[in-house]
């Protein structure tokens, strides 16, 4: 007996069903962007390549925050704490143990996960303003620790002298090689968050975000799911912090401060919470205005970011991802009108 999928109009004339071609078409833009990113060092100057690497680092950090804000419905003000923990851990290991890239990424992820597990156990039991205040307090505690523990973190001077990252024993000293390492880890980190978001766990997280009492009545444990999402987001933020230490080779307390977390939240809002790819674009806007345009604006980069944020709230309430949703809706309407 023939399957229903084979007989459905949507899959008529499509070998292998109706979903596979559309999935392949949706993957084409991602593949094109990935190829362009991989080829960037061949056409960009070293400084531009470095800025693009910073965008990828901050984008991974914003994606980890989007797992909390957009997917789980937990807006955090202290997410930079795990970014800073990962950065300091990677820097300390690189100075005292080894600068092998795989090791640095793994220890940064572990440090971020452990810090998130230790603090999230209490934070995710709250919600709303209380959750915001708890995460803000966590961020401030980590910031103060990074400032006062001079013998470990370097205090206000920062942790400097981080050696060049190594891959297979070879030190990556050129900007292009470091960028490719950052790109590879970014792709893996983004893929991990995307898989979690698209998995049954991600579906449960969205259900808890939209209607927690109903999910609890269906037998789900909101605390367990939110706690798992918090730990995963902390681990990915730690990886982003490790990449920051690898690329910049200097870690200061500001990496764990409120400003860093606020900029990541700004990137999520600009890109569109819950889309994952939208915060990548938002991170690009933040880094470009702060690092590329900031020096040419005589120190008025934060002012420009504020103006961009206000305009985005009024003109793009759903962020850049909302524009894609509008265009998709327009295409669906046109296809319905076409006989």
């Amino acid at each position: 007996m023939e399957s229903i999928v084979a007989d459905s109009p949507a899959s008529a004339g499509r070998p292998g069903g109706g979903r596979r071609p559309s999935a392949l078409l949706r993957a084409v833009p991602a593949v094109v962007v990935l190829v362009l990113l991989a080829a960037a060092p061949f056409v960009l100057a070293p400084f531009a390549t470095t800025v693009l690497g910073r965008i990828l680092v901050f984008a991974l950090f914003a994606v980890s925050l989007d797992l909390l804000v957009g997917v789980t419905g937990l807006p955090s003000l202290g997410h930079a704490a795990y970014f800073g923990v990962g950065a300091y851990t990677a820097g300390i290991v690189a100075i005292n143990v080894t600068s092998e890239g795989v090791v640095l990424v793994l220890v940064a992820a572990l440090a971020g996960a452990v810090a998130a597990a230790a603090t999230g156990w209490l934070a995710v039991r709250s919600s709303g303003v209380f959750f915001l205040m708890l995460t803000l307090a966590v961020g401030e505690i980590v910031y103060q620790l990074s400032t006062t523990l001079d013998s470990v973190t370097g205090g206000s001077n920062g942790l400097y002298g981080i050696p060049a990252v190594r891959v297979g024993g070879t030190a990556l000293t050129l900007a292009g090689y470091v960028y490719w390492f950052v790109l590879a880890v970014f792709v893996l980190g983004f893929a991990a968050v995307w898989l979690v978001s698209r998995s049954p766990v991600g579906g449960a997280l969205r259900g808890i975000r939209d209607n927690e009492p109903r999910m609890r009545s269906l037998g789900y444990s909101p605390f367990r799911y939110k706690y798992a999402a918090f730990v995963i987001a902390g681990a990915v933020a730690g990886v982003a912090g490790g990449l920051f230490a690898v690329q910049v080779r200097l870690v200061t307390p500001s990496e764990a401060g409120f400003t860093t977390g606020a900029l990541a939240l700004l990137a999520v809002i600009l890109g569109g919470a819950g889309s994952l790819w939208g915060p990548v674009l938002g991170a690009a806007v933040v880094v470009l205005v702060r690092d590329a345009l900031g020096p040419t604006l005589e120190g008025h980069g934060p002012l420009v970011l504020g103006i961009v944020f206000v305009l985005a709230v009024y003109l793009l309430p759903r962020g850049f991802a909302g524009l894609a949703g509008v265009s998709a809706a327009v295409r669906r309407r046109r296809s319905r009108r076409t006989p």
Side-chain angles (χ1 to χ4, degrees):
M1 183 172 59
E2 297 183 358
S3 65
I4 296 176
V5 175
D7 293 336
S8 64
S11 60
R14 296 180 183 178
R19 291 186 177 181
R20 184 172 300 174
S22 60
L24 291 176
L25 288 177
R26 287 195 298 269
V28 169
V31 174
V32 172
V33 170
L34 183 59
V35 171
L36 292 176
L37 288 175
F42 294 109
V43 296
L44 296 179
F47 176 76
T49 302
T50 301
V51 172
L52 187 56
R54 290 180 185 175
I55 290 175
L56 294 178
V57 171
F58 197 72
L60 184 60
F61 178 43
V63 168
S64 71
L65 181 58
D66 192 30
L67 181 63
L68 289 180
V69 177
V71 178
T72 314
L74 295 174
S76 173
L77 291 177
H79 200 57
Y82 315 113
F83 181 85
V85 167
Y88 275 112
T89 302
I92 293 171
V93 171
I95 294 173
N96 299 290
V97 183
T98 177
S99 61
E100 190 65 31
V102 176
V103 176
L104 297 182
V105 170
L106 291 178
V107 297
L110 180 61
V114 170
T119 57
W121 183 84
L122 176 63
V124 298
R125 295 179 183 274
S126 61
S127 60
V129 177
F130 298 101
F131 180 81
L132 287 172
M133 293 298 100
L134 281 174
T135 54
L136 178 60
V138 169
E140 287 302 311
I141 290 173
V142 174
Y143 173 77
Q144 292 299 326
L145 288 175
S146 63
T147 304
T148 56
L149 297 178
D150 294 357
S151 60
V152 178
T153 64
S156 58
N157 293 325
L159 185 67
Y160 54 87
I162 300 175
V165 63
R166 293 178 176 270
V167 175
T170 303
L172 305 182
T173 56
L174 297 180
Y177 292 148
V178 176
Y179 167 81
W180 280 322
F181 176 78
V182 170
L183 175 61
V185 178
F186 166 80
V187 171
L188 292 176
F190 183 90
V193 177
W194 186 86
L195 289 175
V196 171
S197 174
R198 295 299 186 271
S199 68
V201 174
L205 291 174
R206 288 185 173 86
I208 293 171
R209 175 198 64 191
D210 295 336
N211 197 328
E212 184 173 332
R214 176 174 294 181
M215 294 297 290
R216 186 180 291 108
S217 66
L218 292 175
Y220 290 89
S221 173
F223 168 75
R224 292 181 181 178
Y225 280 94
K226 291 192 291 186
Y227 185 54
F230 199 91
V231 173
I232 294 172
V236 177
V239 171
L243 290 180
F244 179 86
V246 163
Q247 187 186 41
V248 181
R249 298 168 66 178
L250 170 68
V251 184
T252 63
S254 63
E255 270 66 72
F258 172 76
T259 302
T260 302
L263 289 176
L265 188 59
L266 172 61
V268 172
I269 295 173
L270 284 177
S275 62
L276 296 186
W277 62 267
V280 176
L281 299 181
V285 173
V286 171
V287 174
L288 286 175
V289 173
R290 183 190 63 182
D291 296 345
L293 298 180
T296 64
L297 297 175
E298 298 181 355
H300 297 298
L303 175 62
V304 175
L305 277 178
I307 295 174
V308 170
F309 176 71
V310 172
L311 292 177
V313 168
Y314 283 97
L315 301 180
L316 299 173
R318 295 184 180 180
F320 297 131
L323 294 177
V326 171
S327 62
V330 171
R331 288 195 300 268
R332 285 195 298 268
R333 290 179 181 177
R334 290 179 179 177
S335 62
R336 291 174 183 175
R337 293 177 182 177
T338 303

